[in-house]
Amino acid sequence: MKKKSRFLTGLLSAVMALSLFALPAAADNATSQPTIDTSRKGTLTINKYEGTDTTKPLADVKFDIYQVATIEQTQTANGVDVTMTPVAALGNVTIDSTTDYNTDTTFKAAVDAAIKNKSLTTAKDTVTTNSNGQAVFTELDVGVYLVIESDAPAQILPSSRTANFLVSIPMMNDSGDGWQYEITANPKNTPTYGGITLVKYGKTAGGQDNGAILPGATFILQHKNGETWTTINSFDGLKIDQGAAENGILTTGPNGTINISGLVPGIYRFVERTAPNGYIADGKKTYEFEVVDSDTVKAPDGVEDSTYLDVANKAITVVNERPDLEKTVLDGENYGAATDAKLGDEVAWKVEVKVPSKVNELDTFKITDEMSKGLDKPAESSFTIVTNKGSKVTLEKTTDYTLDIQEAASEDVGPKWVIDFTSTGKNKLVTNEITTVTVTFKTVLNEKAVSGQGGNMNNAKLDYSNGFYDNTIDQGHPNPGEDTIEGQAIVFTFELNAVKKDGNNQDETLPGAEFTLYKYTGTAAEPSASEITANGEAIFNLVSGSDGVLKITGDSAKYKDVIPKLGKGTYYLIETKAPTYTEKGEIKHYNLLKDPIKVDLNVAYTVTKKTDEPKVDGTSKKTTITTKVDITAFDVEKKADNASITIYNKKGFNLPVTGGFGTLLFSGIGALLVVGGVGVLMSTKKKKKGNA
């Protein structure tokens, strides 16, 4: 009897050894009776942990239990006999102390078949471990049971689940003198965790590569449960490297990456929340990946475009775009940062905008140009708007964009214009893969222009939405804001401060002197007046005022009584009328200048562009990026800002006027000379007669 009464202990010991868990006997729950109480009920308590770490109880593990045999005992003259009888659903299969579910193929096949056809239902129960990792089966009849771990959290892969095992109610206690009806099992699982690295880049719209690494971008991480995506708001238990995690938000670190590990196998996706430094956050694009095991990630089934995923390196690449704006001015035949011009000159400007590939998702995309007060309001006819596709793709006013040209709002500012792209226009840009829109227009330099180094700045800016989102993907996203990219170009002009003075009394200014100002394009070192007129352009007619200052004259002159403003170059003043003075009640003229007066406006300036670091407004969080004109060198001969010259005239003498005082004077002198001649002649004749 003793041999038979211990067969269950041998059976379960073998099973437990193969299943890598122990079923310790609890002595205080055991009976010392050598026979089994078949009327007594038993319990099976299962404690689950992650691996061998008893500090990490494993919840949500589901166990199914099936009774596979009954235990009966009979008493004969030879003693107590114990018999195990398989349940009817298993058919004619043998079970004894040597039976092991995992190695006895006949028994295993019978059990598997019964489970599959759902005929093994006797005393079946299902229990899931609680937060303490514990599952308890109660009211178990005396018998042999098969325990199956049918489900587990995602970090427990099917291949890592506890192997099916057999347990009997009751079991022999450790001392071998009684039976234990309350059984405890501690089966082990080996958890599996995976990880992923997100690498963030930012590029200028239209760029061919990914651009530069981008710290400070924020994302959320979502986990797919069935068909539902759930945002992970707590990263407890996860490890975040090369980035930061706070309040459910992941932020790329200094090297533009987020490295996250400790993810249970499953399907995940990153969704962008914000992008720094003027880049546009794309909250409609998701970056899905599936953690298969600790060594493997892949694109989930059904993902059409997974080019962002590098499965070999378990990395996701995310690239943001940022538009760009460049403002230039025509200098000769080329556009650049600066030019110079004279009063009344037409100045041509260009604004070139790089268009992001998803501009149609942006609520705002508009260009504003704010001009100096020294520039006239441009005519609409001077505008041209073209794309990089040339005549193949044209943008139509009103349909694709609106153009609003505005007068100066005050005396301190100049006019401005605004081009605002419509939804139709933005869709056209995307449909035709337009990467560049170029706006050119013309203005006229006026009398309000600032002369010298200050120059006349023209500021253009692009205002655009800094993100777009999908409420069905992320309901907690921020509202899109607006960022700005600014650019500058400048036009210089230089005053000709010429003063007319008396050559003898140099404190006396001379009004009324008239000049013609020529810009000389010839090659002679000291050209004559005729050479200047033949090889030069007459710029302005000038006249000196009461203060001697030369100003523009002419009844039809647009800038009459304005000091001339010039671009750099070589100029000559040719005096066409000398000033006058009054002497003894008579108006007389100063002498005309013998030679032209050279005005060599040798202006040398070096102008570059300098882009400031992105500036974020503390209140609106608006990011502004400005490319400023930097005047790195500036020199004008003799004076830094303008050309100054003093022109002296000296008094001469005039020919006498017919019938005037001069005529009478010379007539009187002539008469005296005649009378004197007659007297000399008469005296000579008398002397001759006397001598005769």
Side-chain angles (χ1 to χ4, degrees), residues 541-614:
N541 292 320
L542 308 174
V543 63
S544 60
S546 60
D547 55 359
V549 176
L550 298 186
K551 296 181 180 179
I552 298 172
T553 188
D555 293 336
S556 61
K558 181 178 180 180
Y559 303 108
K560 186 177 181 180
D561 297 329
V562 175
I563 294 175
K565 300 175 188 288
L566 309 173
K568 62 183 180 181
T570 300
Y571 297 84
Y572 283 92
L573 283 165
I574 297 179
E575 190 172 32
T576 58
K577 182 179 180 181
T580 62
Y581 63 96
T582 302
E583 186 176 80
K584 295 180 181 181
E586 186 176 357
I587 298 176
K588 299 184 178 182
H589 285 271
Y590 283 82
N591 291 334
L592 279 172
L593 297 178
K594 176 183 177 183
D595 299 311
I597 300 172
K598 185 178 183 180
V599 180
D600 201 353
L601 201 54
N602 290 323
V603 184
Y605 54 80
T606 302
V607 175
T608 60
K609 296 277 187 91
K610 180 181 179 182
T611 301
D612 292 344
E613 290 296 320

Side-chain angles (χ1 to χ4, degrees), residues 50-235:
E50 287 199 1
T52 59
D53 189 350
T54 58
T55 65
K56 290 185 176 181
L58 188 59
D60 298 324
V61 182
K62 186 169 75 172
F63 289 96
D64 298 329
I65 192 168
Y66 300 88
Q67 186 174 4
V68 295
T70 60
I71 298 176
E72 299 176 355
Q73 66 179 5
T74 57
Q75 188 168 353
T76 65
N78 296 324
V80 177
D81 190 14
V82 178
T83 303
M84 288 187 298
T85 304
V87 296
L90 299 184
N92 297 321
V93 64
T94 302
I95 183 171
D96 57 27
S97 61
T98 63
T99 299
D100 178 4
Y101 174 79
N102 294 294
T103 60
D104 191 324
T105 57
T106 302
F107 178 73
K108 184 178 187 315
V111 172
D112 288 347
I115 293 174
K116 183 177 181 180
N117 61 30
K118 299 181 181 180
S119 62
L120 190 62
T121 58
T122 306
K124 179 182 176 182
D125 197 4
T126 298
V127 178
T128 301
T129 57
N130 58 23
S131 59
N132 295 321
Q134 193 172 78
V136 181
F137 293 94
T138 61
E139 297 296 312
L140 297 176
D141 294 326
V142 171
V144 179
Y145 293 87
L146 174 69
V147 181
I148 299 174
E149 185 176 317
S150 58
D151 198 8
Q155 67 266 37
I156 308 300
L157 297 178
S159 60
S160 300
R161 294 177 186 172
T162 300
N164 299 346
F165 61 90
L166 295 171
V167 65
S168 70
I169 303 294
M171 290 185 65
M172 183 68 72
N173 62 23
D174 291 339
S175 61
D177 60 0
W179 297 96
Q180 182 174 328
Y181 292 82
E182 296 180 0
I183 311 301
T184 300
N186 299 306
K188 299 178 179 65
N189 286 112
T190 302
T192 298
Y193 295 100
I196 195 77
T197 298
L198 181 146
V199 186
K200 179 73 169 179
Y201 294 91
K203 72 173 185 177
T204 301
Q208 298 302 309
D209 56 13
N210 288 339
I213 59 172
L214 193 58
T218 64
F219 292 82
I220 59 171
L221 181 64
Q222 296 180 332
H223 184 212
K224 191 174 187 181
N225 298 307
E227 296 301 318
T228 302
W229 290 96
T230 303
T231 299
I232 298 174
N233 292 312
S234 174
F235 298 103

Side-chain angles (χ1 to χ4, degrees), residues 396-656:
E396 303 296 335
K397 185 184 172 185
T398 305
T399 303
D400 299 327
Y401 67 90
T402 59
L403 172 61
D404 181 19
I405 307 173
Q406 303 173 16
E407 298 283 357
S410 70
E411 289 293 325
D412 298 326
V413 299
K416 74 175 183 179
W417 55 261
V418 180
I419 290 177
D420 197 352
F421 290 89
T422 65
S423 296
T424 301
K426 287 181 282 189
N427 283 324
K428 179 183 282 189
L429 295 175
V430 172
T431 301
N432 293 280
E433 299 180 341
I434 300 301
T435 59
T436 305
V437 172
T438 302
V439 180
T440 58
F441 66 100
K442 295 176 181 178
T443 61
V444 173
L445 191 76
N446 63 38
E447 72 278 7
K448 297 179 182 178
V450 175
S451 61
Q453 295 186 48
N456 300 274
M457 199 71 73
N458 196 324
N459 296 280
K461 64 179 181 178
L462 174 69
D463 292 306
Y464 61 97
S465 302
N466 59 15
F468 50 92
Y469 303 92
D470 185 341
N471 288 332
T472 64
I473 295 174
D474 177 16
Q475 293 185 353
H477 64 77
N479 292 323
E482 286 187 10
D483 288 344
T484 299
I485 296 177
E486 298 181 346
Q488 295 181 331
I490 193 169
V491 55
F492 296 109
T493 190
F494 311 99
E495 280 187 352
L496 172 58
N497 290 314
V499 181
K500 188 73 169 176
K501 290 188 175 182
D502 189 299
N504 296 315
N505 180 10
Q506 296 184 1
D507 291 332
E508 182 182 353
T509 58
L510 301 180
E514 297 181 9
F515 290 83
T516 299
L517 178 65
Y518 290 87
K519 185 171 184 180
Y520 182 60
T521 56
T523 58
E526 296 182 3
S528 64
S530 59
E531 288 173 325
I532 292 170
T533 56
N535 297 287
E537 177 188 0
I539 303 298
F540 297 116
N541 292 320
L542 308 174
V543 63
S544 60
S546 60
D547 55 359
V549 176
L550 298 186
K551 296 181 180 179
I552 298 172
T553 188
D555 293 336
S556 61
K558 181 178 180 180
Y559 303 108
K560 186 177 181 180
D561 297 329
V562 175
I563 294 175
K565 300 175 188 288
L566 309 173
K568 62 183 180 181
T570 300
Y571 297 84
Y572 283 92
L573 283 165
I574 297 179
E575 190 172 32
T576 58
K577 182 179 180 181
T580 62
Y581 63 96
T582 302
E583 186 176 80
K584 295 180 181 181
E586 186 176 357
I587 298 176
K588 299 184 178 182
H589 285 271
Y590 283 82
N591 291 334
L592 279 172
L593 297 178
K594 176 183 177 183
D595 299 311
I597 300 172
K598 185 178 183 180
V599 180
D600 201 353
L601 201 54
N602 290 323
V603 184
Y605 54 80
T606 302
V607 175
T608 60
K609 296 277 187 91
K610 180 181 179 182
T611 301
D612 292 344
E613 290 296 320
K615 182 179 179 181
V616 181
D617 183 274
T619 302
S620 66
K621 305 298 183 183
K622 180 177 182 177
T623 299
T624 301
I625 302 171
T626 303
T627 301
K628 293 182 177 179
V629 168
D630 182 20
I631 306 173
T632 53
F634 202 102
D635 179 37
V636 181
E637 186 179 9
K638 295 183 179 180
K639 189 172 182 181
D641 285 342
N642 304 297
S644 296
I645 187 171
T646 302
I647 305 170
Y648 295 102
N649 281 83
K650 292 187 177 182
K651 296 177 180 178
F653 60 88
N654 295 355
L655 292 175

